[in-house]
Amino acid sequence: MWTDRVAAAQRTKGRDGMPEFTIGIDIGTTGTKTVLVDIGQARIVAQATGEARLYSDGPGQAEADPAQWLANVHDGIRTVLAESGIAPERIGALATTGMVPAVVPVDSNGTPVRRAMLQNDARATAEIAELKDALDHDAVLRATGSAVTQQSVGPTALWLQRHEPETWRATAQLVGSYDWVLMALGAPPHVELNWAIESGLGTVDGQRFEPMYTAAGLAPELVPTVLSPGAQAGELSAAAAAATGLPAGLPLIVGGADHVLSAYAAGINNEGDWLVKLGGAGDILAAADHPVIDARLYLDAHPVPGRWLPNGCMATSGSLIRWFQTLSGGIDLVALDDEADTRKPAEILCLPYFLGEKSPLHDPDLRGAFVGLDLAHNRADMYRSVLEAIAYGFKHHTEVFASIGVPLRRALVTNGGSRSVLWKQILADVLDTPLSPIIGHPGASLGAAVIAAVGTGLLDSWDSTEAFQTIGEPVIPNPRHADRYAQAYAEWRQLGDVLTPVSHRIARKARS
């Protein structure tokens, strides 16, 4: 087997004398979040966040520095230990999560040989087209659950071979963001199951997808051992213990993809449950009892064995908001919300394709646009149109789910953007459904902490996340905005079709 699928339920021990706390770490696009969780009391004791820089040095490029991730992890662990006053010996395990499938090329020692290429990097357009032509589309979809897209790692590897040959010669393996962090803390090389699936290098049943390896000229050992959520990847090294303040030998547990663990921690476990995740990218996930395969979507394995998460991921969400905030002189986002709340809905249309688009369009050559501006409009109108554009992208996904029979009944919303009252209201209005926010939910980092507990026997059941949830009052759609947003969404879809060939010409010109 290509995978080493270890059921966490098998990792049980007697509870007497066991530690009561775990740590979850989320390697995000714009920041690294660390949480310290009291498992017995089902509460977060302390949390810390370190900013992460997004590098975009050219068209379609999205990179991050793994050294900054690790520095944030060291600082975050020390911060939560200091703020909580919890003795390090009471920590039972640590697990990581993060963006997927970020690509970290490492040498034979596990040291990165360049900056990480993030999941929304859109430079490998020619390689995507080439591999699409070389592979049987239906066979790829059946085997991996997703088409060859911007999300696929095969095109990225092929781009590295061609454009950075020295980097490629130094590359021994490709791993993910949260996998590399565990490696830097002491674990042997590995990747998590959903990184393997979403990369297009692995199949939904845990095997290597050989046709992609052949087409992209990849060595069999390029991807290391695949581990499932809850498996122990290794132990904290002495060097990492000195850097973090945790005891050497601490179990390092495989967490998973950030959007998957955010959904898991939010309670997206039963068919009909669905989640809007407002992170650096925009994720939408629905629980299913069987694999749901559609070329417009992605498919992930739910942390609970036997369950699945068909999902979509837009290239920009919070990252687009941060870009607009920077362009506006760094004004506080609450102030931008307050300004935008005074403006009329759908005055301007924004296409949010500032890093191309992933699902459901899978077109890295799309470009962003603002349309409908006149001299009466101001910053607030433009900012509101950004929030609305992201909401339209989520609505596009709900139409895809409906077209393939995925039920959407109970809607939840999480992550940093869910703190914005205005954005939640716009989402509820555009989606025309009540949205229930998870109060105080730190997202994927909590999911990682819970999985660390399951993986070491501190929790007996995968279905243990309900105790950690506080669900707020639902945000109800405003009926006065329903018709306007329905009309604007139709115009938005039409605008996207009209501007696509223009975007493609601009993208080709930039590459040349």
Side-chain angles (χ1 to χ4, degrees):
M1 291 291 290
W2 191 41
T3 60
D4 180 14
R5 191 172 182 93
V6 180
Q10 295 174 349
R11 304 183 52 79
T12 56
K13 304 176 183 177
R15 291 187 180 278
D16 292 343
M18 288 188 70
E20 312 100 303
F21 301 88
T22 61
I23 289 176
I25 299 170
D26 180 11
I27 311 301
T29 307
T30 58
T32 307
K33 180 178 289 184
T34 302
V35 298
L36 175 61
V37 174
D38 183 332
I39 297 301
Q41 297 296 318
R43 66 188 182 94
I44 295 170
V45 177
Q47 53 188 309
T49 302
E51 289 189 4
R53 178 179 173 185
L54 174 66
Y55 294 85
S56 187
D57 298 336
Q61 295 185 17
E63 297 182 352
D65 183 1
Q68 187 178 45
W69 297 339
L70 188 58
N72 285 341
V73 168
H74 291 164
D75 291 345
I77 292 172
R78 287 192 170 278
T79 297
V80 296
L81 289 176
E83 290 187 354
S84 67
I86 301 299
E89 293 74 21
R90 298 177 71 187
I91 310 300
L94 177 154
T96 57
T97 179
M99 49 199 153
V100 65
V103 178
V104 186
V106 298
D107 62 19
S108 57
N109 296 316
T111 302
V113 297
R114 75 178 315 280
R115 290 197 300 235
M117 299 172 72
L118 304 187
Q119 69 286 349
N120 51 3
D121 190 280
R123 76 188 77 183
T125 51
E127 289 75 18
I128 291 171
E130 180 178 336
L131 291 175
K132 278 184 176 180
D133 290 341
L135 295 165
D136 181 285
H137 170 81
D138 292 335
V140 171
L141 195 59
R142 286 194 305 270
T144 69
S146 303
V148 178
T149 69
Q150 180 183 338
Q151 192 90 342
S152 305
V153 170
T156 299
L158 193 56
W159 187 94
L160 283 170
Q161 293 175 51
R162 292 172 173 172
H163 296 271
E164 297 183 7
E166 291 186 9
T167 296
W168 188 251
R169 281 192 293 271
T171 298
Q173 291 178 313
L174 300 179
V175 298
S177 59
Y178 49 100
D179 306 314
W180 180 80
V181 168
L182 281 192
M183 290 165 56
L185 293 176
H190 66 281
V191 294
E192 185 265 332
L193 175 63
N194 277 318
W195 186 96
I197 293 175
E198 285 213 30
S199 73
L201 300 177
T203 66
V204 293
D205 59 355
Q207 304 298 317
R208 184 184 294 114
F209 184 53
E210 299 292 355
M212 179 61 81
Y213 276 72
T214 300
L218 309 180
E221 64 273 12
L222 183 67
V223 174
T225 300
V226 179
L227 299 177
S228 295
Q232 181 167 337
E235 296 181 345
L236 193 73
S237 69
T244 61
L246 292 171
L250 182 78
L252 302 175
I253 305 299
V254 177
D258 55 0
H259 57 291
V260 173
L261 267 57
S262 187
Y264 170 60
I268 306 299
N269 295 325
N270 301 310
E271 193 168 70
D273 293 342
W274 60 292
L275 175 71
V276 172
K277 176 177 171 286
L278 303 176
D283 295 293
I284 181 170
L285 305 97
D289 294 331
H290 63 281
V292 177
I293 295 174
D294 187 280
R296 294 166 292 182
L297 300 174
Y298 305 110
L299 178 65
D300 285 289
H302 196 287
V304 179
R307 296 179 189 164
W308 296 88
L309 283 168
N311 64 87
C313 178
M314 299 183 296
T316 62
S317 178
S319 57
L320 177 56
I321 289 171
R322 292 294 183 186
W323 170 84
F324 188 86
Q325 180 188 31
T326 300
L327 210 64
S328 302
I331 185 174
D332 184 77
L333 289 176
V334 174
L336 280 174
D337 272 8
D338 290 343
E339 288 181 1
D341 198 23
T342 66
R343 311 304 289 179
K344 294 179 181 178
E347 280 281 294
I348 302 168
L349 292 177
C350 169
L351 295 181
Y353 310 134
F354 288 70
L355 280 172
E357 185 55 296
K358 293 162 68 174
S359 64
L361 298 174
H362 299 300
D363 189 344
D365 279 347
L366 292 180
R367 293 294 180 263
F370 291 92
V371 174
L373 287 163
D374 63 41
L375 292 180
H377 292 128
N378 59 22
R379 175 178 67 191
D381 294 293
M382 295 182 70
Y383 179 66
R384 185 177 184 112
S385 75
V386 167
L387 300 181
E388 291 168 341
I390 299 165
Y392 298 148
F394 282 118
K395 183 174 179 64
H396 194 177
H397 282 88
T398 64
E399 291 183 340
V400 172
F401 282 125
S403 72
I404 57 177
V406 174
L408 300 177
R409 288 188 282 268
R410 187 178 70 118
L412 300 172
V413 59
T414 64
N415 279 58
S418 66
R419 291 191 291 269
S420 168
V421 175
L422 174 62
W423 199 5
K424 284 184 294 189
Q425 187 63 60
I426 289 172
L427 283 163
D429 292 348
V430 170
L431 296 172
D432 195 24
T433 191
L435 282 177
S436 296
I438 307 294
I439 303 300
H441 180 64
S445 54
L446 174 60
V450 172
I451 286 179
V454 175
T456 50
L458 285 171
L459 288 173
D460 295 325
S461 170
W462 283 101
D463 296 319
S464 300
T465 56
E466 289 81 0
F468 295 85
Q469 297 161 11
T470 302
I471 300 179
E473 288 295 319
V475 181
I476 305 301
N478 185 338
R480 292 180 300 169
H481 296 163
D483 290 344
R484 182 68 194 103
Y485 275 132
Q487 179 186 358
Y489 172 71
E491 293 167 344
W492 181 82
R493 290 290 304 275
Q494 182 182 11
L495 178 65
D497 292 339
V498 169
L499 289 189
T500 291
V502 179
S503 289
H504 287 176
R505 289 194 294 272
I506 292 172
R508 286 195 297 269
K509 189 182 303 181
R511 284 197 299 273
S512 66

